[in-house]
Amino acid sequence: MNEVFGPGAMSRRAFLATTALGTLAAAMPAARAASSAVEEARQIAIDAYVYGYSLITTDITRLQMSNVAKAGLMSAPLGSFFNVRGYPPATYRGVSATNADTLYSMAWLDLKEPMVFSHPQITDRFFNFELVDLWMVVKHSVGTNTTGTDAATYLFTGPGWKGEVPKGMTHIAYPTRYLGVLGRTYALDTPEDLAIVHKLQDQYKVVPLSAYGKDYTFAAPPVEDVGIKMDEAPQKVILALGLEGYFNWMTRLIPAAAEPAAEDAPLLARIAKIGIVPGQPFEMSKLSAEVQAALKDVPQIVTDKLNEGWAHLGKNVNGWRVTTTGAIYGTDYLTRAIWASNGWPAQQPEVSVYPTTYVDGSGAKLDGRNGYTLTFQKGEMPPVNARAFWSITMYQIDNGLWFYPNKLNRLTLSTRNSFVYNKDGSLTLYFQNESPGADKEANWLPAPAAPFAMTMRLYWPNRTAPSILDGSWAPPPVVKA
């Protein structure tokens, strides 16, 4: 009798089963390793997408604003200023969460050649110029409460510049080839005050260093086909790039137009594992089919994460999200990307703080089909410097925060308004789609008949109590009627 199949021996079926189990057991670690590698690649792609978001958002914003033949409402050729002569219209969709408190002035500069910026003396109103590099970092800010009210001249230089700084200029060096000079000048919405501000805006100047002090006639660079929609919200433009297009945009900018910070080295080494290497094209086809499939939804995952992050940025104070950080991020790439996605660009906290809310004081989402109030008690108005101001802006939500067009053409409530105060000296504001009544319309900010968000802006906030910077003052809750 064959010993293999005889009594006391392993049956053929048992033998085969045991062999199969052994093979499966040997294969399981390999399968787990493969699954782990795919998940690692996916997480690396998410981290890389977050890392580059502020860079790509800023560059797209630059192109949409400066890749033009002549100055427009919110655009001007590279190397020149546009000056907004009135508040942005309710239909404006260029920059998410824009304000309607100041007149914008902006110039995008190519620091391939050093550029000189100058502004006149401004003593009777708040003004500020954010200096935004391609990473959306704002290390420097020029204006009333940062550099003073005297006339001033600045020399801006890009990576690797070495030269002599002319006398009378303040030199600021940047790690990126392009720089945004974003100015805000406070203005009353009256013909008389607007005319005064227009004269100031006309004195905001940028010229190449080689032309400084000489006769200079600006010539706009040629308009290029950059392959994106020039009139669509940057967040949508970014999604349309797809993953490969996004990472190729990123590696084209780094380091040619944007030197990474030294502290970015560990992340750059990590993302190189999936072929994202500065200065080199990114090719999805070089990744395995499994990895490509795992990376397909990364753009939407990150977009959703950033939108959700914006709604929860900072501390929850009476339903408002109050953040006193921004402008400078270090290795906090997620916060930087969150600001880029919905609040490009963040200002330095000592210049302004922007509490934002999507919910009422109980935590329920705001919806203009309901009625809401907010009450400042007597003596508890937003604490800002006497030469500055505060406002509350209404936004509808659509892949960003955008003005809500309404029959009053009222985008904000602010220190400019002639409010009707309560008998006890307090001030109640109203937020809803339908009028709260003729006697309350002076204090009414129309809302869409849909979910909405609001931003409260405190320019030049108090640095000592009561102050939003240290938490000794807090915005009141929005209360559902």
Side-chain angles (χ1 to χ4, degrees), residues 344-367:
W344 186 97
Q347 292 209 69
Q348 296 172 330
E350 62 266 28
V351 173
S352 62
V353 176
Y354 296 168
T356 297
T357 184
Y358 290 72
V359 299
D360 62 22
S362 69
K365 288 187 176 181
L366 297 172
D367 191 307

Side-chain angles (χ1 to χ4, degrees), residues 259-408:
E259 291 186 347
E263 57 264 32
D264 297 346
L267 183 113
L268 292 173
R270 185 163 175 261
I271 66 178
K273 293 180 180 180
I274 60 170
I276 305 172
V277 180
Q280 298 181 20
F282 172 76
E283 299 177 66
M284 283 280 286
S285 60
K286 291 186 176 181
L287 302 175
S288 71
E290 293 80 8
V291 170
Q292 290 185 52
L295 268 53
K296 184 172 63 174
D297 59 351
V298 163
Q300 192 61 56
I301 286 174
V302 174
T303 300
D304 293 344
K305 184 175 184 176
L306 298 182
N307 288 338
E308 180 67 16
W310 176 256
H312 296 90
L313 189 65
K315 297 179 181 179
N316 185 344
V317 181
N318 293 331
W320 295 85
R321 303 304 305 186
V322 178
T323 177
T324 53
T325 60
I328 301 173
Y329 308 92
T331 57
D332 188 356
Y333 310 126
L334 180 59
T335 297
R336 187 175 71 185
I338 289 170
W339 272 108
S341 68
N342 284 284
W344 186 97
Q347 292 209 69
Q348 296 172 330
E350 62 266 28
V351 173
S352 62
V353 176
Y354 296 168
T356 297
T357 184
Y358 290 72
V359 299
D360 62 22
S362 69
K365 288 187 176 181
L366 297 172
D367 191 307
R369 288 165 288 197
N370 302 319
Y372 301 91
T373 63
L374 179 151
T375 300
F376 295 113
Q377 298 301 324
K378 183 178 180 180
E380 296 182 7
M381 299 295 287
V384 296
N385 186 278
R387 288 187 287 167
F389 59 96
W390 64 268
S391 70
I392 298 176
T393 308
M394 174 65 61
Y395 294 114
Q396 55 185 346
I397 304 168
D398 179 19
N399 281 325
L401 300 180
W402 312 104
F403 291 146
Y404 168 59
N406 60 82
K407 61 184 179 181
L408 297 183

Side-chain angles (χ1 to χ4, degrees), residues 27 54 61 190 199 215 250 305 340 369 379 394 415:
S54 67
T61 302
T190 66
K199 290 180 181 179
D215 290 335
M250 180 172 147
K305 184 175 184 176
R369 288 165 288 197
M394 174 65 61
T415 49

Side-chain angles (χ1 to χ4, degrees), residues 375-448:
T375 300
F376 295 113
Q377 298 301 324
K378 183 178 180 180
E380 296 182 7
M381 299 295 287
V384 296
N385 186 278
R387 288 187 287 167
F389 59 96
W390 64 268
S391 70
I392 298 176
T393 308
M394 174 65 61
Y395 294 114
Q396 55 185 346
I397 304 168
D398 179 19
N399 281 325
L401 300 180
W402 312 104
F403 291 146
Y404 168 59
N406 60 82
K407 61 184 179 181
L408 297 183
N409 194 30
R410 185 178 291 172
L411 308 179
T412 70
L413 293 175
S414 75
T415 49
R416 292 188 302 268
N417 290 84
S418 297
F419 294 120
V420 176
Y421 287 78
N422 300 319
K423 291 182 179 180
D424 62 359
S426 64
L427 174 64
T428 299
L429 307 179
Y430 300 87
F431 313 102
Q432 57 194 61
N433 183 252
E434 298 294 330
S435 171
D439 60 328
K440 298 180 177 66
E441 283 195 355
N443 299 3
W444 172 42
L445 186 57

